[in-house]
């Protein structure tokens, strides 16, 4: 049997590679392809070895795939409304998308990061930043639901986020666009010295709750990316910054003038201590803090006011700048915490800094300059080494935990493997095409899993069947277990994955929730069995507590609703079984359907506009009699006296 499968696979692979021969060089065909196909093949009914969480970029969400297969497992709605489940449409979840600017139905999600304990991925939560309306979200990896979103005031373009320290003490957020702080009406051309680049530090409690502890009021450069120190460098955070020129027009030219920009090295432990002892100043800043409660199945949004702002010059020995060539992007720390890799986008070399040397330079006050009162360390005396001419346009680096680093090069379109010992290039593989980020499961922790590497490419072109002008971005999976990287497969992603986070599946799998306990449901409009189903009127507001079970609604016939009413359908799914959702939709609703998980209650609002008898139905094919899962609402004229009546099986 196995032989037969192998043969079939070889044949398929052979056909594939002969058909698309123009994209793949000749040595990829034949027997080699068969073995590659086997490496990514997950037989029907079997599970992938890793979960990979891809940011959706402008989709605002996260998509989950399995590795090595690349099969898409789920899309988790985070910052964008999602009609597939009703997230952001249902009465319970609208509050998740509330901000100080009001309801924002969309976001630009960039960098997911999984919580850690002792520097290792623990699979409790995944965090992700939103760039446009600065926010951070926390998603439970038991339910795969977004549980919390916190907005970041005084910030603009939250890009250097949402990276987690090694015991999930803090998560950071940067300000990609320098802005007036506090915001005010002023001429743009006066930005120099006037705009600021606050860095936000959000603490994470034992139960995951986020709290905006303080902001560090940095000079008005663009803070692009960040990573926490680990092991020996735990307690520090490193941020790349560009536009130290503080230009505001024709940025592609004017922000590329300085030979060097900076990496900001921030001792957050020192600052947290300073704040704990009453340091910093309370300044204004309005932000929303949204929390989803798993018991009531309902989110609440609280608007908060005020934040502790810390002047970096006031905390002795806490903030330094390290010069780095040419508009850096990625800022990555190796598993030992010794090396900090800065990727100067316009530089031909890759600068690697040594944490010990940095500390020595700080102790010796080996400063070459200061920038707005922040000491600038010497480039030469903090440098561990340089990877010379590795490629063009370096963006991001990940690590395999075996002494190697892997850097993406956007312009030369390749992934380059180099040694953390000798800084020599060991291998290079082309990407198809123009790779942005890359991900090694656990590559951003003390213990990377080191088996696979995923390249997240920006340009897809001819990799798949054409789908009009827009193609999904392409990911590529490499086997990195040997000396040389081996390209195994291509698979499409969704939105624009800027980063991904991967984790061994068994860490999450065993804790994954199968359904919500009905007995623990504390939703104010829950109906825990059919006898609790009812319809109540309060003026023109009608609340319908409705239950679902295979395969009917209770009640399924409702009369006495009037034009101009505001009707709330509170649907409780009575099922207590894995993977049996029921859906609900009704004609003329100005919102989406809702998908209700077993044991959960969800609400949609319907405002009937015309008299008549209007059907509703279950949107999820739940049983052989799913098509029978329907009901009617009779809507009478505004001034009619049709009595309120509801039935199930009269
Ligand atoms: S990140 S690759 Cu480099 Cu936000 Cu997009
Ligand atoms: Cu319930 Cu279909």
């Amino acid at each position: 049997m196995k032989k037969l499968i192998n043969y079939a696979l070889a044949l398929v692979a052979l056909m594939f590679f002969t058909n698309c021969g123009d994209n793949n060089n000749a040595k990829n065909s034949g027997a080699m392809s068969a073995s590659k196909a086997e490496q990514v093949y997950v037989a029907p009914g079997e599970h992938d070895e890793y979960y990979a969480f891809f940011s959706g970029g402008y989709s605002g969400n996260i998509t989950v795939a399995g590795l090595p297969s690349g099969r898409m497992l789920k899309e988790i709605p985070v910052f964008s409304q999602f009609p597939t489940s009703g997230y952001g449409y249902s009465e319970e979840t609208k509050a998740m998308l509330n901000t100080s600017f009001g309801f924002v139905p969309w976001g630009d999600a960039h960098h997911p990061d999984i919580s850690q304990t002792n520097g290792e991925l623990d699979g409790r939560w995944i965090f992700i930043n939103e760039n446009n309306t600065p926010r951070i979200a926390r998603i439970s990896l038991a339910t795969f639901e977004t549980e919390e979103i916190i907005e970041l005031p005084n910030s603009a373009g939250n890009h250097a986020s949402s990276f987690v320290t090694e015991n999930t003490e803090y998560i950071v957020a940067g300000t990609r666009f320098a802005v007036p702080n506090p915001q005010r009406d002023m001429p743009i051309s006066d930005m120099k010295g006037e705009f600021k680049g606050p860095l936000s530090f959000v603490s994470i409690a034992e139960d995951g709750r986020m709290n905006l502890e303080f902001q560090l009021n940095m000079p008005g450069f663009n803070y692009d990316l960040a990573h926490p120190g680990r092991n020996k460098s735990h307690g520090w955070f490193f941020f790349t910054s560009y536009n130290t020129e503080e230009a505001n027009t024709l940025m592609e030219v004017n922000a590329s003038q300085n030979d060097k920009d900076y990496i900001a090295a921030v001792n957050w432990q020192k600052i947290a201590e300073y704040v704990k002892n009453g340091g910093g100043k309370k300044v204004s800043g309005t932000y929303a803090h949204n929390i989803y409660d798993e018991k009531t199945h309902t989110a609440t949004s609280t608007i908060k006011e005020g934040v502790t702002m810390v002047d970096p010059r006031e905390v002795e020995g806490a903030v330094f700048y390290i010069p780095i060539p040419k508009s850096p992007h990625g800022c990555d720390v190796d598993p030992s915490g010794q090396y900090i890799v800065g990727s100067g986008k316009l530089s031909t070399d890759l600068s690697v800094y040594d944490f010990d040397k940095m500390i020595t330079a700080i102790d010796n006050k080996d400063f070459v300059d200061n920038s707005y009162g922040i000491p600038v360390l010497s480039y030469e005396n903090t440098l561990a080494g340089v990877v010379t001419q590795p490629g063009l346009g370096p963006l991001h680096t990940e690590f395999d935990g075996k002494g190697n680093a892997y850097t993406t090069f956007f312009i030369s379109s390749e992934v380059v493997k180099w040694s953390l010992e000798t800084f020599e290039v060991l291998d290079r593989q082309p990407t198809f095409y123009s790779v942005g980020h890359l991900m090694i499961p656990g590559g951003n922790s003390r213990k990377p899993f080191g088996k696979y590497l995923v390249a997240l490419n920006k340009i897809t072109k001819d990799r798949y069947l054409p789908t009009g002008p827009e193609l999904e971005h392409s990911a590529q999976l490499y086997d990195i277990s040997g000396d040389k990287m081996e390209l195994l497969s291509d698979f499409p992603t969704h939105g624009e994955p800027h980063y991904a986070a991967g984790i061994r599946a068994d860490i999450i799998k065993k804790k994954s929730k199968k359904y919500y306990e009905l007995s623990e449901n504390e939703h104010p409009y829950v109906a825990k069995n059919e006898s609790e189903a009812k319809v109540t009127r309060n003026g023109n507001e009608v609340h319908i507590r409705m239950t679902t079970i295979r395969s009917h609604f209770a009640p399924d016939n409702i009369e006495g609703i009037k034009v101009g009413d505001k009707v709330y359908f509170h649907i409780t799914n009575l099922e207590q079984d894995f993977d049996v959702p029921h859906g609900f939709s009704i004609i003329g609703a100005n919102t989406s359907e809702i998908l209700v998980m077993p044991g959960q209650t969800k609400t949609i609002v319907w405002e009937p506009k015309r008299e008549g008898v209007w059907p509703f139905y279950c949107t999820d094919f739940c049983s052989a009699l799913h098509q029978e899962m329907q009901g009617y609402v009779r809507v009478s004229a505004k001034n009619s006296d049709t009595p309120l009546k509801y039935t199930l099986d009269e």
Side-chain angles (χ1 to χ4, degrees), residues 271-332:
I271 300 168
E273 206 42 47
Y274 170 80
V275 170
K276 220 170 94 200
N277 294 325
K281 215 169 76 195
K282 260 270 185 261
V283 300
S284 63
T286 310
Y287 62 102
H289 190 179
N290 311 332
I291 295 169
Y292 181 80
D293 184 319
E294 206 186 293
K295 289 262 152 64
T296 60
H297 300 279
T298 303
T300 47
S301 178
T302 313
I303 296 292
K304 296 187 169 170
E305 181 55 52
V307 52
T308 303
M309 189 67 73
V310 176
D311 183 331
R313 294 164 300 198
E314 273 170 18
V315 197
E316 196 33 63
V319 185
F320 302 90
Y321 279 133
I322 307 172
I324 170 160
K326 294 278 168 206
S327 303
H329 186 56
C331 185
D332 301 288

Side-chain angles (χ1 to χ4, degrees), residues 581-583 618 620-623 626 629:
H582 293 285
C618 170
D620 185 301
F621 205 105
C622 49
S623 77
H626 154 80
M629 196 164 171

Side-chain angles (χ1 to χ4, degrees), residues 518 525-529 532-534 545-547 572 574 601:
L518 190 58
Y525 288 98
V526 66
K528 293 194 181 177
N529 55 60
E532 290 180 17
K534 63 175 171 210
R545 295 177 192 224
M546 189 179 270
T547 62
T572 300
L574 298 179
T601 305

